[in-house]
Amino acid sequence: MAWWQGDVDRVVRKACKQQFDLDVKLSGLVGRQAHAPAALDEMPKIALPFLLRKAGGEAALFVLDGTLIDGLIEQQILGKVMPMERIDRPVTKIDAGLSEGFVVAAIAAICAEAHGQLAGLSVAGPEQDRAALRLALGEGAYDILSAEMDMGPGVKTGRFEIWVPAAAVETKPKAKGERNADMVAMLQDCEVELTAYLHGCAPTGKELMSLDVGSVLSLPKAALTDVELTDCSGQVFGRGRLGQLDGARAVRLTSLSHAPASLPPAPQPASIALVETAALAATDQGRVAPEKTDAAPTERAAAIVDESAAS
């Protein structure tokens, strides 16, 4: 509402001078958006709403506060605005009749120059029945434009509001199956925990009871050739082969059990969670060093456990 911020002071001041010989100044021009029921609940008890109509038949609203009503009445009856506070009294039909001329003049002046939402407004008349206003305005959203009007240098300052149906914002519908790029990027940055399991061993009860710190357990050969990876839900994600990469333990994936269908195909979840796996896939096979093969499988597996215990 750039026009509202820049020209409404000039337009309303001109209308007040020509119609009522009243010198006014506008300030505190602000705008907000609210649904009609909530905005009506927030409207002060002492206020005078005028129902407006747009060219297409839509309802709008012009609201005067009690101080502005008093100033308009004083100007028309006494010929000047009195520097006195408003007496606590309800709004009457006489107030509505004496204020309607200002509303009609202000709306006509605004519509003569405004475009868009403020164009094509006409005054239907005062409507103080809040229930009737709810029916007229419906449940839709309204742009509420308000301003303070000084009716003389510091003499009396009132406030008025113009409610117009909120401008429709055109949004491009998302194609079916289209992904939210920001959400995809956020998900790709999340860490996904995978757990690698080796094949277990099966000691006898006697061997189990005799275990002590420094004891060595023999692992089967499959502990090297078949590593099972599970995700955070406990489901098997894939299988791989135990080896080394740059002196550290690593797993080369040999098969995948499943992949989340909701994520883009690249990068794969495994390459996000296991940096070592991506590095393994990018290197020559000679870089992946499986365990030494100069010993029997059981002895080789026992050496791995012994080495881990020592470290």
Side-chain angles (χ1 to χ4, degrees):
M1 281 293 180
W3 181 88
W4 172 259
Q5 292 285 349
D7 292 339
V8 70
D9 180 34
R10 171 183 57 81
V11 171
V12 174
R13 184 191 297 126
K14 180 180 177 181
C16 288
K17 184 64 176 178
Q18 292 178 346
Q19 299 289 332
F20 304 99
D21 193 25
L22 182 62
D23 293 316
V24 302
K25 180 181 179 182
L26 269 61
S27 62
L29 282 74
V30 297
R32 64 188 177 94
Q33 189 176 101
H35 287 273
L40 287 172
D41 289 340
E42 296 171 359
M43 184 185 295
K45 183 178 180 181
I46 304 300
L48 178 57
F50 282 81
L51 194 60
L52 309 178
R53 291 293 178 186
K54 299 200 70 176
E58 296 175 291
L61 210 61
F62 194 111
V63 184
L64 309 177
D65 73 353
T67 304
L68 188 54
I69 294 170
D70 277 1
L72 293 172
I73 291 174
E74 292 163 0
Q75 175 66 20
Q76 294 179 73
I77 294 178
L78 304 176
K80 63 178 180 179
V81 179
M82 305 299 293
M84 61 180 63
E85 295 183 0
R86 174 179 171 80
I87 300 175
D88 187 12
R89 61 177 181 82
V91 179
T92 65
K93 291 184 178 180
I94 296 176
D95 296 332
L98 292 174
S99 302
E100 188 168 1
F102 164 75
V103 176
V104 172
I107 289 298
I110 290 173
C111 290
E113 298 192 31
H115 302 281
Q117 294 169 272
L118 293 178
L121 293 173
S122 61
V123 181
E127 182 54 80
Q128 300 185 57
D129 187 340
R130 300 293 173 95
L133 284 177
R134 290 181 184 275
L135 291 175
L137 297 177
E139 302 288 330
Y142 280 77
D143 288 330
I144 302 176
L145 313 172
S146 62
E148 290 183 353
M149 192 169 82
D150 187 353
M151 295 171 283
V155 176
K156 185 171 290 183
T157 301
R159 193 167 192 90
F160 68 87
E161 294 182 342
I162 300 179
W163 299 22
V164 290
V169 179
E170 294 185 2
T171 57
K172 179 182 177 182
K174 287 188 175 181
K176 186 175 181 180
E178 183 179 351
R179 294 189 178 95
N180 185 318
D182 294 335
M183 182 63 71
V184 170
M186 183 180 70
L187 291 174
Q188 288 178 344
D189 289 336
C190 294
E191 292 185 355
V192 181
E193 182 179 351
L194 297 180
T195 305
Y197 289 97
L198 302 179
H199 277 262
C201 56
T204 64
K206 181 178 180 181
E207 291 173 335
L208 186 63
M209 295 178 61
S210 64
L211 289 179
D212 201 352
V213 177
S215 298
V216 175
L217 288 173
S218 297
L219 297 178
K221 181 180 180 180
L224 299 176
T225 59
D226 192 9
V227 178
E228 188 176 76
L229 297 171
T230 63
D231 58 22
C232 58
S233 65
Q235 296 185 8
V236 176
F237 181 84
R239 299 181 183 278
R241 177 180 176 82
L242 182 65
Q244 291 185 3
L245 178 66
D246 297 332
R249 297 293 180 193
V251 174
R252 180 198 294 276
L253 287 177
T254 56
S255 65
L256 288 175
S257 299
H258 69 279
S262 58
L263 291 178
Q268 292 293 337
S271 63
I272 296 174
L274 297 176
V275 179
E276 296 88 352
T277 303
L280 281 168
T283 57
D284 296 332
Q285 293 185 358
R287 290 286 306 279
V288 182
E291 299 300 321
K292 294 181 180 180
T293 58
D294 55 352
T298 302
E299 295 174 353
R300 186 167 67 255
I304 294 174
V305 177
D306 192 27
E307 178 186 343
S308 302
S311 60

